[in-house]
């Protein structure tokens, strides 16, 4: 970044802060008409700029009066309070002190109901984690890059760099990026081209990918940003996890955004104010060596590694807990889909493309067993308590059983038409349970082959993945029903609706933490979900956008692993 020459702000006498009459709280008892997504909670009121405080409260500049300087409001414990004064920029320090800049360049500190003018001239301000503050000078025209000055204990010093917007970070974490290192105590700088930099305390820089018109740092290793250039109609919101450096699009837009760590606040083009809860994304991603391999299912192996299928490239992949890969090639027509560990210490594979069941040793040696019916499309596979492997035949509408010696038995599904079995899992009752997509049924098959079917309460639910839960019930996902289902071994079903529209859950697994974990692959949702046995749902965004997560399974070290079909990655989430 460049460093312009600039006059010390300390040599400039501050203009007076405007003295305005205190407005009643009813002035903010408005709710502008705006589209609010389910994950955003509206706050009554109208604003032009938001500044979140570390104590969980919110400061805003209202959208009035006309002109660059606006009334200042504070929202705490569900109530608004106006304070005398007007400003064009505000920022909140860790101790709650409010800093403000007005259009004349005046810099002010507000604490215990008193404004204190600070000698200097500025166009922007941000309070730092250590109680000091930084400003952008106002020596250049609006929209041009300005010099950056630091005020510590009343003393000014110019620091390296220039920009049009600054935002201090209160995050105590350190992160290594491709464009440099981020250390605690620094601040973000945006220049007039939208480039995003982080300036450390030693005045070294890290450049972040992309461009932004505004940024809002969190305290959990993430950064919200508004797209560049700024528009009065609002800008798209994105979120970057600094651990993975992968930005993901948020289903919302804003003209102003700010975070206090626990929440992110936004102001939209209509002036409406809303917030969303910020949660840490404990997800690590690993790029599969073969691109566009379309991984589908994943399972823990007896060797302490995770094994997964790569349908497009006809490979079986293995990833260690630390993220090292090995891939084993299958015949090109095999199209592997489902995978499970067998009682014999090998991995068993449902080869959807060539209608075979594969057996692979830990060293990658493959044995294949052809199914009696061609084009039966074996889909998913699971180990049973009887020592056999059980699998769904999606096109043949059968449930198959194969011994570890390769002997195959098939059982026709009673449902008429094309029930299309998909997910399969061993139940706590000693039976095998499976889902029927097109029939919208959950079914069980005894070791002797007797099948019982239970319709889902939601019509056209399209159930896919299923797993045994820690509570003795079976849990399944309803891809089109947009729900998580639970069924007792006697056939009583309970459903839990997902908040995100068109989440399209696909896979589900019991986690080591006593909860159920599932994938949400729908368009802009792109989450890993967690549901407790009581039905409480939490969602975690995947750092890579449009990942299309599918298969999911518990693995070593208390982690949960999943595959990303579109991005050809393996994800690991730490509960």
């Amino acid at each position: 970044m460049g460093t312009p020459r600039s006059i010390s702000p300390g040599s400039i006498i501050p203009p007076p802060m405007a003295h305005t009459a205190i407005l009643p709280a009813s002035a903010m008892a408005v709710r502008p008409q705006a589209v609010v997504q389910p994950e955003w909670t509206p706050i009554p009121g109208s604003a032009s700029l938001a500044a979140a405080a570390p104590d969980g409260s919110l400061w805003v500049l209202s959208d009035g009066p006309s002109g660059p300087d606006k009334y200042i409001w504070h929202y705490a414990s569900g109530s608004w309070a106006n304070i005398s004064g007007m400003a064009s920029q505000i920022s909140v320090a860790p101790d709650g002190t409010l800093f403000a800049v007005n259009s004349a360049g005046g810099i002010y500190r507000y604490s215990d109901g008193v404004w204190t003018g600070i000698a200097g001239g500025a166009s922007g301000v941000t309070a730092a984690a250590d109680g000091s503050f930084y400003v952008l000078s106002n020596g250049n025209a609006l929209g041009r890059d300005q010099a950056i000055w630091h005020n510590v204990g009343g003393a000014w010093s110019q620091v390296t760099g220039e920009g049009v917007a600054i935002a201090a970070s209160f995050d105590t974490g350190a992160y290594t990026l491709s464009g440099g290192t981020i250390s605690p105590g620094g601040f973000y700088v945006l220049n007039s081209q939208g480039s995003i930099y982080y300036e450390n305390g030693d005045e070294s820089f890290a450049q972040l990918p992309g461009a932004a018109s505004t940024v809002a740092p969190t305290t959990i290793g993430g950064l919200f940003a508004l797209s560049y250039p700024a528009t009065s109609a609002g800008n798209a919101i994105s979120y970057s996890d600094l651990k993975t450096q992968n930005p993901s699009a948020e289903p919302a837009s804003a003209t102003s955004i700010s975070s206090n760590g626990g929440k992110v606040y936004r102001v939209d083009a209509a002036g409406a104010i809303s917030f969303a809860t910020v949660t840490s994304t404990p997800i690590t991603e690993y790029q599969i060596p073969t691109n566009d391999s379309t991984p589908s299912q994943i399972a823990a192996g007896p060797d302490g590694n995770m094994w997964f299928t790569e349908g497009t490239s006809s490979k079986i992949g293995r990833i260690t807990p630390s993220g090292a890969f090995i891939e084993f090639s299958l015949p090109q027509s095999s199209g592997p889909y489902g995978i499970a560990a067998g009682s014999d210490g090998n991995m068993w594979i449902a080869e959807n493309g060539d209608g075979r069941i594969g057996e692979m040793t830990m060293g990658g040696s493959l044995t294949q067993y052809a199914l009696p019916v061609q084009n039966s499309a074996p889909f998913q596979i699971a180990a049973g308590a009887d020592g056999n492997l059980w699998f769904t035949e999606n096109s043949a509408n059968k449930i198959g059983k194969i011994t570890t010696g390769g002997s195959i038995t098939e059982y026709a599904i009673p449902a008429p038409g094309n029930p299309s079995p998909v997910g399969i899992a061993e139940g706590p009752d000693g039976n095998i349970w499976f889902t029927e997509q097109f029939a919208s049924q959950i079914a069980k098959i005894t070791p002797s082959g007797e099948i019982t079917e239970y319709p889902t309460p939601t019509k056209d639910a399209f159930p896919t993945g299923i797993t045994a839960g820690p509570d003795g019930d079976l849990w399944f996902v309803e891809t089109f029903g947009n729900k998580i289902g639970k069924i007792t071994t006697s056939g009583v079903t309970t459903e839990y609706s997902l908040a995100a529209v068109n989440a399209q859950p696909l896979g589900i697994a019991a986690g080591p933490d006593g909860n159920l974990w599932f994938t949400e692959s729908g368009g802009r949702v792109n989450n890993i979900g967690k549901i407790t046995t009581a039905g409480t749902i939490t969602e975690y965004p995947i750092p890579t956008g449009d990942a299309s997560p599918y298969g999911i399974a518990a693995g070593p070290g208390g982690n949960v692993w999943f595959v990303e079909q579109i991005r050809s990655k393996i994800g690991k989430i730490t509960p």
Side-chain angles (χ1 to χ4, degrees):
M1 296 188 73
T3 305
R5 299 181 63 181
S6 178
I7 298 173
S8 171
S11 64
I12 302 172
I13 299 174
M17 167 60 76
H19 293 282
T20 59
I22 302 298
L23 300 173
S26 59
M28 289 293 274
V30 297
R31 192 185 298 274
Q33 296 297 311
V35 176
V36 178
Q37 286 77 11
E39 53 268 45
W40 294 87
T41 301
I43 295 175
S46 183
S48 59
L49 183 145
D55 64 0
S57 65
L58 177 69
W59 291 86
V60 303
L61 298 180
S62 70
D63 52 5
S66 60
D69 292 324
K70 307 297 181 183
Y71 297 128
I72 305 169
W73 289 83
H74 188 212
Y75 185 76
S77 302
S79 299
W80 285 106
N82 175 232
I83 65 171
S84 180
M86 296 173 66
S88 58
Q89 295 288 328
I90 53 176
S91 180
V92 189
D95 64 358
T97 299
L98 178 69
F99 289 87
V101 169
N102 64 19
S103 59
I107 308 168
Y108 304 91
R109 177 190 291 112
Y110 182 81
S111 181
D112 296 326
V114 177
W115 284 110
T116 302
I118 301 170
S123 58
V125 62
T126 186
D130 61 2
S132 65
F133 65 95
Y134 293 87
V135 301
L136 294 174
S137 72
N138 58 352
N140 288 326
L142 188 67
R144 294 274 306 276
D145 291 316
Q146 308 281 2
I148 305 170
W149 287 80
H150 190 199
N151 187 293
V152 182
W156 287 102
S157 61
Q158 186 177 1
V159 299
T160 305
E162 60 182 337
V164 294
I166 50 177
S169 172
F170 296 174
D171 194 340
T172 58
Y175 310 96
T176 301
L177 282 61
S178 58
T181 300
I182 289 178
S183 299
F187 60 97
Y188 292 89
V189 185
L190 307 181
N191 66 18
S192 55
Q193 284 75 49
S195 299
I196 311 168
Y197 294 90
Y198 183 87
E199 184 165 355
N200 293 292
D202 63 0
E203 300 191 27
S204 63
F205 288 91
Q207 184 171 8
L208 282 73
S213 57
T214 304
V215 294
T218 73
T219 59
I220 57 173
L223 181 70
F224 286 94
L226 299 185
S227 60
Y228 175 86
T231 68
S232 60
N235 287 67
I237 302 173
S238 64
Y239 179 79
S240 293
D241 187 321
L242 298 178
K243 295 183 290 294
T244 62
Q245 305 174 53
N246 292 314
S248 59
E250 299 292 320
S253 63
T255 55
S256 174
I257 193 166
S258 183
S259 175
N260 61 10
K263 292 183 174 65
V264 58
Y265 295 87
R266 69 171 179 138
V267 177
D268 69 12
I273 312 164
S274 58
F275 71 88
T277 301
V278 178
T279 57
S280 176
T281 306
I283 293 176
T284 305
E285 297 173 296
Y286 305 94
Q287 185 69 56
I288 296 172
T290 301
N291 292 326
D292 301 321
S293 60
T294 320
S296 296
Q297 298 297 319
I298 189 167
D303 59 349
N305 299 313
M306 300 301 294
W307 292 69
F308 56 94
T309 54
E310 302 179 48
T312 302
S313 61
S314 285
K315 293 179 179 180
I316 299 299
R318 186 183 75 189
I319 181 171
T320 67
S322 62
F325 285 95
I326 292 181
E327 293 176 301
F328 304 99
S329 295
L330 275 61
Q332 189 57 43
S333 62
S334 64
Y337 204 88
I339 188 167
S343 60
D344 59 349
N346 296 323
M347 302 304 296
W348 289 76
I349 305 148
E351 299 180 18
N352 185 260
D354 60 10
R356 297 173 184 265
I357 300 298
E359 177 188 12
M360 180 170 282
T361 68
M362 297 299 95
S365 297
L366 177 69
T367 303
Q368 294 175 299
Y369 305 94
L371 297 182
V373 178
Q374 289 186 340
N375 302 318
S376 58
F379 212 68
Q380 293 193 28
I381 189 167
D386 58 357
N388 299 315
L389 284 301
W390 293 75
F391 54 93
T392 52
E393 297 183 39
N394 189 253
S395 296
N397 290 310
K398 294 180 179 181
I399 299 299
K401 176 180 71 176
I402 183 169
T403 68
T404 54
S407 178
I408 296 172
T409 307
E410 295 176 309
Y411 303 93
I413 295 174
N418 181 25
S420 184
V422 177
I424 191 165
E426 179 194 358
D429 56 353
N431 297 315
I432 299 295
W433 289 74
F434 59 95
T435 59
E436 299 176 13
Q437 275 186 331
F438 296 155
S440 286
Q441 295 189 131
I442 306 300
K444 70 178 178 183
I445 181 170
T446 66
S448 61
E450 181 182 349
I451 295 176
T452 306
E453 297 166 308
Y454 305 95
T456 58
T458 298
K459 185 180 179 181
D460 299 326
F462 207 76
T464 49
I466 188 169
T467 191
D471 54 353
D473 297 327
L474 282 300
W475 289 75
F476 59 94
V477 296
E478 299 181 14
T479 303
F480 291 168
N482 213 48
K483 297 176 181 179
I484 304 298
K486 176 181 72 173
I487 186 169
T488 67
T489 53
S490 60
V492 178
T493 302
T494 305
E495 295 175 312
Y496 303 93
S497 296
L498 298 175
V501 177
N502 196 31
Q504 293 185 17
L506 286 175
I508 188 167
D513 58 347
N515 299 310
L516 288 305
W517 292 79
F518 57 93
T519 54
E520 294 182 352
S521 65
R524 300 176 67 181
V525 180
N526 204 56
N527 291 331
I528 299 299
K530 178 182 71 176
I531 182 169
T532 68
T533 53
T536 300
I537 296 172
T538 306
E539 294 166 310
Y540 302 89
I542 296 171
T544 299
D546 298 322
S548 188
Y550 193 169
I552 188 167
N559 298 313
V560 176
W561 296 73
F562 59 94
V563 301
E564 301 178 15
Q565 280 199 315
I566 291 179
R567 298 303 182 186
S568 293
K569 292 183 177 182
I570 302 298
K572 178 179 71 174
I573 184 165
T574 303

